[in-house]
Amino acid sequence: MNSTIFSFYPPEEKPGSLRVAIQPNMSCEGWPSNAGSNALENYTALEDATVIRLVKKADARIVGSVHMSELGFGLVGDTGGQAVRENLADVALITDNMGEARVAAAVSGLPGFKPSCAIVSRLGLIGLIPSMESWGMVGRKIPNINSIMAAVCVNDGQDFSMTGETLPDFNKGLLQFKQSATIGVAEKYENRLTNSERSAWKRAVVMMENAGFQIETIKMPEAKLFAQVHNVIGAVEASSSAGKYDGVRYGHRAAGTANWNEMYLKSRGEAFGTLMKAYLFQGAYFQFENFAAFENACRVRGSLVDEINHVLSKVDWIASLTTREKPHAYKTAGISEHYEAFAFTIPASLMGLPAIQLPGIAWDENVDFGLHITGSPLSDPEMLALAAYLEPKKGGGSKK
Amino acid sequence: MTYEAVIGLEVHVELNTPTKLFCDCPNRPGDLPNLNTCPVCLWFPGALPQLSQEALEKAVTACLGLNCTIQTESAFDQKVYYYPDLPKGFQLSQHHKPLAKKGWLDILVDGRKSQRLGIHHVHMEEDVAKLIHETEGRTPVSLVDFNRAGAPLIEIVTEPDIRSPEEAMEFLKVLRSQIRYTGASECSLEKGSMRVDANISIRPQGSGIMNTKVEVKNMNSIQNVGDAIAYEIKRQTGCFEKSEPVLLHTRLWDPEKQMTVPMRSKFSGPCVPDPTVPRIIINDTWLAEKKAKLPEMPIQKVERFIKSYGLTRDEALIMSQDRDLSEFFEKTVINYHQPRKAANWITSHLIPALKEREISINEVFLTPERFQSLLCMQDKDKINAKAAREVLLRLLEENKSPEEIVEEQGFRQLSDIDDLESVVERILQDNPSGIQDYKAGNTKALGFFMGKAMKATQGKANPKMLKELFTKKLA
């Protein structure tokens, strides 16, 4: 069954108190799993993803699979945030490649979270950008997000990229927040903002100071580097990941072709949407024609990680807005517009850091841009404690 | 002008692990098509590769057998290309950071002079699926068998140190023997567990330049590799002499026509670091354990066999070539004091019999103990050499001791002096003309009598005693 919000939902409701919405790129046995793409048309998941299995085991029920952007890149066509905002789910799991879960939450006036990389198994996630993708989530409240994290942050022994270190513990409930934290803000951050964004940001800074945080100016790497590096590496990984969608065993297959080469070319040409085709084309360009640019991007990524680690050794958290005034993340068409819309959330995706979006703090007139906080790897439980501490103090709530 | 060939080999060796490289599916060639598959090796959406510890260990062991330096850190890359036998669009292989580097093997040139040939590196990779081309009615169809997809391979890339087809063949024999010893693979070109590509170029003798190379594939035996290289050297030399350019491309060896034919221009896709399979970090303790488990390799074994058993170098080489056979030899000579005789019997009778049956020494009933008592029976003249050969063949197929077979088949040598004497006397009586010939000085007459006596005893007479008796009676 389907609706404007759900691409599929089961005819019978299962027991469980927490309602969870998923995307059709999260393998749920027997459910259609087209990952929002014709390239996986009629593909049905063979078994549960680890996360789905763990959610089913917890006191939760999966209410349905929402509509999603093609292969989880960006938010065009996604209804995950809407499912929570319209009270059809308590948590929506949204694949986070460049900030999708956090931006979807911001646009819906809700909290959104992306955990540290390698603390949640990716087995069964039909991904696109393996080195950056993560199970993200939009929740009605911070405790809902903590409950999901408590259920899914388990080493299943099947995702070998999971961290070898001890996993953070979410099972004790939300931690008591330590108030003495310092929050770093990039030098000249305001210069990058529009008038409306700047006004929202100033409100957020005042609110954080009033809440007892110490705000410190930090020297951040050049902002556009994050987007450029993400674009080059993301496109290359996407091109590899999507290479298997050939329409032979599942997915759309073009009719009336003379030989196998023609079949592959035409099927792929017809299956992918314009945005995805452009992205895959970029990836193929870097793979085959400009490998040096890819190698440079990998090197720059390494030095960005070093620089951010250095910053995080001086401050506890790094804050910014979550989303931008323009372009609109749900409507934008081109790749460069995507990278602009997700400019503030991309660094955490590129670095594999935990990040959270909080509503009702950084708003101006009728727009809530969202407060975005990034922290050190594996600081996830402390980050949720911080978020819960800030949550009831929101200055007027979402205006959306 | 004289030319010299510059040859480098790329050898793919399929590791004999019970499971595939990135999943738990059985790695069992010969099963029904598409029986051994799962979401990982079919590369279904959402699947994640899980590197097999056992495959890594076997790969490391094989590399140690090739005298390589194992790298502390190695990593998988995606070799990007699309073909129906690789439907995920890339092959996981180690391009930028291979498992091992700087190996070498010593070969014997002209059976005497030892020469060291370099191995540039060894990397791990997954095998691709197998395509089977058929026709349904008049329509050509291509079927894909995923049993092989994801099977663990190592690729051994040599330095361009090889100069002749003979050296290439010798190198492959040594390499095969070394890897078989480690137990990592059977290395059979015939069965496809070893595949060899040769890169060949030609240059004026001693010029040191590297000219455009041609890659040759599809050689199904070591002899094929030698033939293909010899053909290619001749072909390229012809091009040089006619001033025709040699183009970078790939050729296929056609064993029927005994020639190489062009296949396609050489394609090399990009190799992108794989973000999913974690890097492999090898620590010294783990590596030391693997080194300690390495068996005595053929090179050392040859020297020991010469020293301990008094074998000639040739004999020692043959006895040490195959690990199982070398162990069989050593167990045979524990209580047998003629090691050279044992070696010669293994070389002349046992190895050809195993080859003919296409089986290994572990697949027959013959044990070293039984083999040793067979040799002893012959030493004590209980049976003659001809009968011993017969018994040996039966020992391969029957679970019996040589004594039992000798009794059952009546192979026991006639050594009873009275029995033999009566045979000798009867033959002399029946052939008076032979006696005259002998006395007239015709030495062939003795052979004639011996033949008659052997025939009369169905080959069981002790030839030594027979000869003595005839000589005595005729004197």
Side-chain angles (χ1 to χ4, degrees):
Chain A
M1 289 192 269
N2 60 64
S3 66
T4 49
I5 299 225
F6 291 110
S7 64
F8 176 84
Y9 57 90
E12 280 172 46
E13 287 213 341
K14 297 260 166 63
S17 57
L18 197 70
R19 298 165 301 161
V20 179
I22 64 168
Q23 288 180 317
N25 66 335
M26 300 168 177
S27 305
C28 185
E29 192 183 331
W31 285 28
S33 304
N34 68 2
S37 177
N38 284 330
L40 285 94
E41 190 178 57
N42 297 327
Y43 179 70
T44 302
L46 299 170
E47 54 194 359
D48 282 344
T50 298
V51 163
I52 299 298
R53 178 172 59 77
L54 294 169
V55 166
K56 283 179 175 175
K57 219 172 83 180
D59 183 22
R61 62 193 149 99
I62 296 167
V63 291
S65 190
V66 300
H67 296 280
M68 72 179 290
S69 64
E70 186 164 28
L71 299 173
F73 180 73
L75 281 170
V76 178
D78 199 278
T79 53
Q82 215 181 332
V84 181
R85 195 177 65 209
E86 296 188 11
N87 198 19
L88 299 168
D90 300 308
V91 173
L93 298 178
I94 296 180
T95 316
D96 197 302
N97 281 307
M98 59 200 303
E100 287 85 348
R102 290 160 280 158
V103 171
V107 171
S108 302
L110 294 162
F113 180 60
K114 178 199 102 67
S116 297
C117 84
I119 68 166
V120 178
S121 169
R122 287 179 303 120
L123 181 77
L125 180 70
I126 302 173
L128 186 71
I129 311 177
S131 78
M132 300 182 216
E133 72 203 6
S134 161
W135 294 83
M137 50 206 77
V138 174
R140 295 176 65 70
K141 288 187 168 125
I142 296 296
N144 300 149
I145 291 175
N146 194 77
S147 303
I148 293 293
M149 283 310 295
V152 303
C153 182
V154 173
N155 197 334
D156 64 351
Q158 292 182 290
D159 180 350
F160 282 20
S161 64
M162 282 188 76
T163 179
E165 296 166 60
T166 316
L167 293 173
D169 187 3
F170 297 90
N171 282 298
K172 293 177 194 130
L174 283 167
L175 301 175
Q176 194 62 40
F177 177 65
K178 294 184 206 92
Q179 235 175 345
S180 61
T182 53
I183 293 186
V185 174
E187 196 177 40
K188 296 179 187 159
Y189 178 59
E190 283 184 27
N191 295 356
R192 296 173 61 195
L193 305 178
T194 63
N195 287 338
S196 178
E197 287 168 357
R198 194 177 302 120
S199 147
W201 176 245
K202 283 183 168 160
R203 191 188 301 268
V205 170
V206 170
M207 190 258 149
M208 288 187 284
E209 280 171 342
N210 289 345
F213 293 101
Q214 196 184 329
I215 308 290
E216 278 185 24
T217 302
I218 50 174
K219 211 169 154 47
M220 286 282 282
E222 203 182 338
K224 68 177 181 200
L225 274 181
F226 291 100
Q228 286 170 346
V229 169
H230 187 294
N231 194 166
V232 175
I233 296 176
V236 165
E237 290 187 17
S239 176
S240 279
S241 299
K244 60 179 166 290
Y245 303 131
D246 56 12
V248 173
R249 293 172 297 173
Y250 54 83
H252 171 76
R253 192 195 292 210
T257 50
N259 54 49
W260 71 24
N261 266 329
E262 208 179 283
M263 178 183 75
Y264 296 134
L265 291 173
K266 217 166 160 218
S267 297
R268 283 173 68 84
E270 290 173 3
F272 295 114
T274 317
L275 178 70
M276 188 46 58
K277 256 191 274 192
Y279 200 51
L280 299 182
F281 204 80
Q282 283 189 345
Y285 165 76
F286 290 118
Q287 285 179 334
F288 288 88
E289 301 291 336
N290 195 354
F291 197 69
F294 170 74
E295 289 180 307
N296 280 336
C298 292
R299 263 194 293 276
V300 175
R301 187 186 194 176
S303 60
L304 287 175
V305 169
D306 292 343
E307 285 184 60
I308 296 291
N309 280 340
H310 180 70
V311 169
L312 284 170
S313 69
K314 308 226 152 157
V315 295
D316 298 309
W317 313 101
I318 300 170
S320 69
L321 296 178
T322 304
T323 187
R324 305 221 62 160
E325 188 174 7
K326 277 175 187 173
H328 195 289
Y330 278 99
K331 293 171 190 150
T332 192
I335 291 169
S336 52
E337 287 89 347
H338 264 76
Y339 276 96
E340 185 52 34
F342 291 89
F344 298 145
T345 52
I346 281 170
S349 296
L350 191 66
M351 313 280 117
L353 301 172
I356 199 156
Q357 127 70 23
L358 294 169
I361 296 168
W363 55 275
D364 175 57
E365 300 292 322
N366 286 319
V367 188
D368 186 348
F369 294 101
L371 175 68
H372 186 264
I373 292 175
T374 305
S376 300
L378 310 182
S379 67
D380 307 53
E382 290 78 16
M383 177 176 279
L384 291 179
L386 163 92
Y389 170 76
L390 283 175
E391 199 177 34
K393 293 188 174 50
K394 56 188 174 186
S398 168
K399 297 284 179 145
K400 280 215 67 156
Chain B
M1 191 185 289
T2 46
Y3 296 94
E4 69 176 353
V6 181
I7 303 159
L9 301 176
E10 291 170 15
V11 186
H12 284 90
V13 169
E14 193 122 23
L15 302 176
N16 59 7
T17 50
T19 60
K20 295 186 183 181
L21 186 54
F22 294 113
C23 62
D24 287 341
C25 286
N27 172 29
R28 215 162 40 210
D31 274 5
L32 285 173
N34 292 312
L35 190 69
N36 304 324
T37 57
C38 74
V40 173
C41 55
L42 291 170
W43 222 260
F44 270 23
L48 287 176
Q50 297 164 15
L51 180 66
S52 149
Q53 172 89 8
E54 194 165 7
L56 174 64
E57 285 180 19
K58 284 227 162 157
V60 165
T61 311
C63 291
L64 290 173
L66 303 174
N67 306 304
C68 291
T69 309
I70 307 295
Q71 302 300 292
T72 311
E73 184 184 322
S74 63
F76 278 91
D77 297 288
Q78 305 173 343
K79 200 167 164 185
V80 181
Y81 69 92
Y82 191 89
Y83 202 66
D85 61 9
L86 184 62
K88 77 167 178 284
F90 58 82
Q91 180 187 23
L92 284 171
S93 175
Q94 299 181 306
H95 179 78
H96 298 290
K97 292 182 169 180
L99 180 67
K101 290 181 184 173
K102 290 183 182 153
W104 52 264
L105 288 176
D106 287 334
I107 62 163
L108 281 183
V109 191
D110 304 327
R112 274 174 294 133
K113 210 174 86 210
S114 169
Q115 189 178 334
R116 182 157 292 188
L117 298 175
I119 291 168
H120 183 267
H121 74 265
V122 182
H123 65 255
M124 282 193 279
E125 64 184 28
E126 57 175 345
D127 209 342
V128 298
K130 195 172 177 179
L131 289 180
I132 296 144
H133 305 286
E134 289 181 351
T135 49
E136 275 174 10
R138 285 186 192 167
T139 320
V141 292
S142 295
L143 304 168
V144 192
D145 177 5
F146 281 86
N147 281 355
R148 203 179 70 179
L153 296 175
I154 50 170
E155 183 175 342
I156 300 139
V157 180
T158 74
E159 296 287 357
D161 287 352
I162 301 166
R163 294 287 169 272
S164 70
E166 294 73 28
E167 283 180 24
M169 288 163 70
E170 193 54 35
F171 176 84
L172 289 173
K173 282 178 194 164
V174 175
L175 178 128
R176 183 176 64 184
S177 166
Q178 293 285 113
I179 294 182
R180 278 181 181 169
Y181 255 74
T182 65
S185 173
E186 285 71 43
C187 291
S188 164
L189 270 129
E190 290 79 3
K191 288 178 188 161
S193 56
M194 180 160 140
R195 303 193 280 269
V196 180
D197 302 336
N199 288 299
I200 304 145
S201 64
I202 297 289
R203 66 184 176 199
Q205 182 96 44
S207 69
I209 50 169
M210 295 297 259
N211 280 316
T212 307
K213 66 186 181 184
V214 171
E215 184 185 40
V216 185
K217 288 176 176 289
N218 198 41
M219 289 85 81
N220 297 325
S221 68
I222 289 183
Q223 189 58 50
N224 270 187
V225 175
D227 292 347
I229 292 173
Y231 177 87
E232 196 52 29
I233 292 173
K234 214 171 132 193
R235 191 188 70 82
Q236 289 187 29
T237 309
C239 289
F240 255 84
E241 280 165 354
K242 284 179 273 177
S243 301
E244 285 172 8
V246 173
L247 299 174
L248 181 71
H249 70 302
T250 301
R251 299 177 76 87
L252 282 184
W253 172 246
D254 185 335
E256 301 280 310
K257 294 182 186 150
Q258 288 282 302
M259 62 190 286
T260 63
V261 288
M263 182 186 167
R264 54 176 156 84
S265 56
K266 193 164 162 57
F267 173 81
S268 65
C271 282
V272 188
D274 180 81
T276 306
V277 184
R279 287 171 309 155
I280 298 166
I281 310 289
I282 289 176
N283 68 40
D284 294 344
T285 325
W286 187 86
L287 190 59
E289 276 172 34
K290 300 296 154 238
K291 277 183 183 164
K293 278 191 198 161
L294 209 63
E296 181 188 31
M297 298 305 280
I299 295 168
Q300 295 113 31
K301 198 166 264 186
V302 168
E303 299 306 324
R304 187 166 61 80
F305 280 5
I306 294 171
K307 215 173 142 195
S308 313
Y309 301 119
L311 303 188
T312 65
R313 183 162 294 274
D314 279 352
E315 288 164 352
L317 274 170
I318 297 170
M319 283 310 101
S320 58
Q321 226 168 47
D322 178 277
R323 185 174 162 186
D324 294 331
L325 209 60
S326 75
E327 283 165 8
F328 182 90
F329 165 75
E330 287 218 85
K331 283 181 190 155
T332 300
V333 298
I334 289 174
N335 293 313
Y336 184 67
H337 303 298
Q338 294 191 66
R340 288 196 63 197
K341 179 172 175 181
N344 288 332
W345 267 78
I346 290 172
T347 309
S348 321
H349 307 302
L350 185 54
I351 292 175
L354 292 173
K355 266 203 183 138
E356 199 189 315
R357 288 162 178 75
E358 290 182 358
I359 44 176
S360 79
I361 189 69
N362 293 337
E363 293 168 297
V364 294
F365 286 113
L366 180 69
T367 61
E369 295 75 28
R370 286 174 183 176
F371 184 56
Q372 185 238 326
S373 44
L374 175 69
L375 294 177
C376 288
M377 284 171 87
Q378 209 230 324
D379 290 343
K380 290 176 187 155
D381 283 338
K382 287 185 183 158
I383 52 174
N384 61 30
K386 185 169 168 281
R389 287 197 293 274
E390 290 267 326
V391 176
L392 179 65
L393 298 185
R394 284 176 184 269
L395 283 170
L396 299 179
E397 280 147 23
E398 294 173 35
N399 190 10
K400 289 176 183 161
S401 70
E403 290 80 5
E404 284 173 305
I405 291 173
V406 165
E407 285 312 318
E408 271 174 30
Q409 304 296 323
F411 282 131
R412 187 168 286 282
Q413 189 156 262
L414 267 183
S415 298
D416 186 281
I417 192 86
D418 297 334
D419 288 352
L420 285 180
E421 210 167 301
S422 67
V423 172
V424 166
E425 273 171 9
R426 198 174 69 238
I427 286 170
L428 290 176
Q429 265 171 24
D430 293 350
N431 297 284
S433 60
I435 302 174
Q436 281 170 18
D437 287 352
Y438 182 81
K439 292 197 166 153
N442 187 348
T443 46
K444 278 183 186 165
L446 186 59
F448 167 78
F449 287 129
M450 289 285 287
K452 285 273 178 199
M454 276 300 187
K455 201 177 169 188
T457 58
Q458 291 158 322
K460 284 181 267 176
N462 181 331
K464 208 169 127 201
M465 290 175 71
L466 211 54
K467 199 176 170 185
E468 279 170 15
L469 278 170
F470 274 120
T471 319
K472 203 172 100 189
K473 297 270 172 197
L474 286 165

